[in-house]
């Protein structure tokens, strides 16, 4: 048998429930006003149980933010994976990816994550790397890989896939941040549809296939 020990499934699930509850409470109350007792009640556990998993309010906040960021990254990567088999209609495939990415950026959980990050950045400057740095890099790299493959197939004209991926993301993030007022208001679905179509139009104008 291996000497590696793994945590019991129940303990992992309980930790996840605590982190989910913590994120909801921090999103509602902010870091300063949130209390561990309220988080415990939200998670359906006793307060000592919270401290058995995470030994301080600060660590609870950091872990909850990291878990929320990891979840957002996973959803973004799943959206980009739709370009693995784009089919014959590349514009439609890009619009679907753009719309799903916008949905990830603009949903309530992601908006709460950005509101918390902006509110607490002075006290927790390292969270910028936790929430934005690694996740954004993975998403950009995944998108660059998909765009590079499309360029190799002659379906796009791209010299620098990494830069093209950044520009595609920028065409989405800039407008949705403005429309959502940095995450403080929801963006209607019709606006997200419009933003996705506009972004793809601009992207293909720059990187569409070369004329035959």
């Amino acid at each position: 048998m291996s000497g590696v020990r793994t945590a019991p499934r129940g303990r992992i699930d309980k930790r996840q429930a605590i982190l989910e509850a913590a994120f909801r409470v921090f999103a509602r109350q902010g870091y300063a006003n949130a209390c561990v007792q309220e988080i415990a009640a939200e998670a359906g556990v006793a307060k000592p149980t919270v401290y058995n998993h995470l030994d301080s309010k600060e660590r609870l906040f950091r872990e909850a933010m990291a878990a929320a960021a990891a979840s957002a990254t996973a959803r973004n990567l799943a959206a980009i994976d739709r370009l693995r088999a784009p089919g014959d209609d590349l514009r439609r495939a890009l619009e679907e990816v753009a719309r799903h990415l916008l949905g990830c950026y603009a949903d309530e959980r992601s908006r709460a994550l950005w509101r918390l990050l902006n509110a607490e950045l002075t006290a927790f400057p390292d969270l910028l790397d936790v929430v934005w740095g690694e996740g954004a890099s993975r998403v950009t790299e995944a998108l660059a890989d998909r765009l590079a493959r499309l360029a190799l197939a002659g379906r796009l004209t791209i010299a620098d896939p990494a830069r093209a991926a950044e520009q595609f993301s920028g065409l989405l993030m800039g407008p949705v941040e403005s429309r959502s007022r940095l995450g403080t208001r929801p963006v209607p679905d019709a606006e997200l549809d419009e933003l996705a179509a506009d972004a793809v139009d601009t992207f293909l104008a720059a990187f569409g296939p070369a004329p035959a």
Side-chain angles (χ1 to χ4, degrees):
M1 292 180 60
S2 168
V4 176
R5 299 179 63 184
T6 58
R9 179 75 255 171
R11 181 174 176 80
I12 295 172
D13 290 344
K14 188 166 289 186
R15 179 187 177 89
Q16 184 61 35
I18 291 169
L19 290 176
E20 290 282 344
F23 183 78
R24 292 193 298 270
V25 172
F26 286 127
R28 287 198 306 266
Q29 308 286 6
Y31 178 76
N33 293 327
C35 68
V36 175
Q37 180 61 56
E38 185 177 0
I39 291 168
E42 182 100 5
V45 300
K47 185 175 178 180
T49 302
V50 174
Y51 284 118
N52 285 340
H53 288 266
L54 298 129
D55 57 12
S56 69
K57 178 181 171 181
E58 178 179 332
R59 185 178 172 198
L60 189 56
F61 179 65
R62 291 180 183 279
E63 294 280 346
M65 292 289 281
S71 175
T73 297
R75 287 182 291 131
N76 288 334
L77 291 173
I80 290 168
D81 200 52
R82 292 168 175 264
L83 286 177
R84 185 182 298 273
D88 295 332
D89 191 340
L90 181 57
R91 178 184 294 274
R92 180 176 179 181
L94 287 169
E95 285 188 6
E96 287 180 354
V97 170
R99 181 61 179 81
H100 278 84
L101 288 173
L102 284 171
C104 294
Y105 296 147
D107 70 9
E108 174 55 32
R109 186 176 177 84
S110 290
R111 288 189 291 111
L113 180 63
W114 287 112
R115 288 196 303 271
L116 270 172
L117 179 65
N118 289 329
E120 308 298 343
L121 192 55
T122 300
F124 300 93
D126 57 298
L127 283 182
L128 186 61
D129 286 334
V130 172
V131 173
W132 176 250
E134 182 179 348
S137 295
R138 289 179 61 197
V139 171
T140 300
E141 288 170 5
L143 181 56
D145 177 73
R146 292 293 153 211
L147 295 178
R149 292 173 186 272
L150 290 167
L152 286 173
R155 304 188 68 180
L156 293 172
T157 304
I158 294 175
D160 187 338
R163 180 170 294 181
E166 288 180 346
Q167 291 173 344
F168 187 80
S169 295
L171 289 169
L172 301 174
M173 284 294 291
V176 80
E177 286 182 351
S178 176
R179 300 285 183 97
S180 70
R181 297 176 186 170
L182 299 178
T184 60
R185 65 174 286 268
V187 181
D189 287 344
E191 287 189 40
L192 295 179
D193 293 341
E194 179 184 304
L195 291 177
D198 289 347
V200 171
D201 283 344
T202 302
F203 184 79
L204 286 178
F207 298 109

